[in-house]
Amino acid sequence: MALTMVRSAIQVLLGFGTALLIPFPHPILGIVLLLLLLALFLPRSNAANACISQGNTQYAAGNYQAAIDNYNRAIQINPKATVAYCNRGAAYAALGNEQGAIEDYNRAIQLDPNFAQAYGERGIIQVGLGNNQTAIKDCNRAIQINPHYVRAYFGRGAARSHQGDFEGAIQDFTEQLRLQPTAAVHYNIAVIQRFLGQQSEAIETLTKAIQLNSQFASAYYARGNAQFESDNRRQALEDYQRARQIEMAKNFNPFPNDEHGFYERGLALYRMDIRSAAIVDLERSTELCQKHQNQIFQQKVMDALTEIQQQSVA
């Protein structure tokens, strides 16, 4: 029994699996070897974990390249550091290096086939690349392993929405909301409600988003458009103005990869008679729809763009 435990422990420490079956002549010798291996392995493990921790701190601060440098060091120390690959994948994704991210998530899954986070995050990358069915498969696997992995519901919901499965998308976003209520989840539900013509429901949902995040410019634009389409012009103008104030104060684009955000802002700018900027936003929304294979919503954006362009010519 002691000999079996020694063998198993050594296999786990070195990552050799069943390939390491050392025929120790006596259990005491095996225990001595185990202690020697622990003395060699633990410092390496601690050093790798320290690099991962430093990388996480840099990632949280938005210093993604510095985070990658730390994860690189962790992997150099311990090439089987699964978490380092997964976290480096997230940093690559934050820098727009989708292929690098996918490669790291692939490696993390090779090392640990039950690593829910690697499947879920790879699925989200696939959504951004327009590989929606692949994304659903990855997110399904993540949820199967860990039903509480929140971001997998976001990834699957987004992919389903792009495919026109709005009922499935809302189910996923609702489950995400149950697990972790955020303004972004309310917003994701609301843009589907808007697409389906459910303006009063969208107004209610977007109000919840704004209550959770009063600086959510995209939610103000979307609620303003829902108000406008419900003939509440004064409330619409108030929402448009608030969204513009937030953007000017922050001085950055709050939704660089959100086709719905560009659509909502473009529509709002058009309704404020800022047509040239409206056209730029709607064109960007169309590009993102193409990238994400969001063909159903793309048609809606193109219809709005065509109408504005025709009126501008007239």
Side-chain angles (χ1 to χ4, degrees), residues 57-283:
T57 299
Q58 295 289 355
Y59 182 93
N63 301 323
Y64 301 120
Q65 188 55 55
I68 289 170
D69 293 340
N70 278 286
Y71 298 139
N72 287 343
R73 283 192 284 273
I75 291 167
Q76 287 172 353
I77 296 168
N78 179 11
K80 295 182 180 295
T82 310
V83 172
Y85 286 103
C86 192
N87 291 3
R88 189 175 69 177
Y92 278 139
L95 291 175
N97 182 358
E98 291 96 345
Q99 190 55 46
I102 288 174
E103 290 173 2
D104 271 351
Y105 293 137
N106 289 346
R107 181 58 177 151
I109 290 167
Q110 287 174 353
L111 291 169
D112 182 358
N114 292 311
F115 197 177
Q117 182 177 346
Y119 285 104
E121 296 304 313
R122 188 175 69 178
I124 290 171
I125 295 293
Q126 297 290 3
V127 172
L129 294 174
N131 302 323
N132 293 302
Q133 194 56 45
T134 301
I136 290 171
K137 181 179 178 181
D138 269 348
C139 291
N140 282 344
R141 179 61 179 145
I143 292 167
Q144 180 184 24
I145 297 168
N146 180 6
H148 298 285
Y149 190 64
V150 177
R151 282 175 55 80
Y153 291 99
F154 160 71
R156 191 172 69 180
R160 285 174 165 175
S161 175
H162 294 169
Q163 293 185 330
D165 179 9
F166 299 122
E167 181 179 353
I170 288 180
Q171 287 176 355
D172 276 336
F173 293 145
T174 301
E175 180 62 16
Q176 184 187 5
L177 199 60
R178 186 186 70 81
L179 293 169
Q180 189 179 76
T182 66
V185 186
H186 284 294
Y187 170 78
N188 289 336
I189 294 173
V191 294
I192 294 176
Q193 291 171 331
R194 291 241 317 115
F195 181 84
L196 296 175
Q198 300 168 358
Q199 305 307 333
S200 60
E201 292 88 343
I203 291 169
E204 181 179 349
T205 304
L206 289 162
T207 299
K208 293 177 182 177
I210 291 167
Q211 288 171 346
L212 289 171
N213 181 1
S214 62
Q215 301 299 303
F216 198 171
S218 301
Y220 281 103
Y221 279 126
R223 190 176 70 174
N225 287 326
Q227 296 281 16
F228 188 96
E229 291 162 28
S230 301
D231 294 324
N232 301 323
R233 304 299 171 88
R234 182 180 62 80
Q235 293 94 327
L237 182 59
E238 290 176 357
D239 276 343
Y240 295 157
Q241 291 174 339
R242 180 58 183 147
R244 299 280 283 174
Q245 289 170 356
I246 292 169
E247 287 186 324
M248 291 176 65
K250 291 188 174 184
N251 195 30
F252 77 103
N253 192 329
F255 35 74
N257 293 300
D258 175 18
E259 58 263 45
H260 298 282
F262 280 103
Y263 169 78
E264 298 291 1
R265 187 172 71 176
L267 210 57
L269 291 172
Y270 166 64
R271 288 165 175 169
M272 289 188 286
D273 203 28
I274 310 175
R275 296 193 180 188
S276 59
I279 290 172
V280 170
D281 272 355
L282 292 172
E283 288 176 341

Side-chain angles (χ1 to χ4, degrees), residues 252-313:
F252 77 103
N253 192 329
F255 35 74
N257 293 300
D258 175 18
E259 58 263 45
H260 298 282
F262 280 103
Y263 169 78
E264 298 291 1
R265 187 172 71 176
L267 210 57
L269 291 172
Y270 166 64
R271 288 165 175 169
M272 289 188 286
D273 203 28
I274 310 175
R275 296 193 180 188
S276 59
I279 290 172
V280 170
D281 272 355
L282 292 172
E283 288 176 341
R284 179 58 180 153
S285 178
T286 300
E287 293 170 0
L288 288 169
C289 285
Q290 291 174 340
K291 179 182 178 182
H292 300 157
Q293 292 296 300
N294 192 353
Q295 297 172 348
I296 296 175
F297 187 65
Q298 181 181 353
Q299 187 59 54
K300 185 179 184 69
V301 179
M302 290 179 65
D303 290 344
L305 181 59
T306 299
E307 179 182 347
I308 294 171
Q309 288 173 331
Q310 289 176 345
Q311 290 185 7
S312 296
V313 172

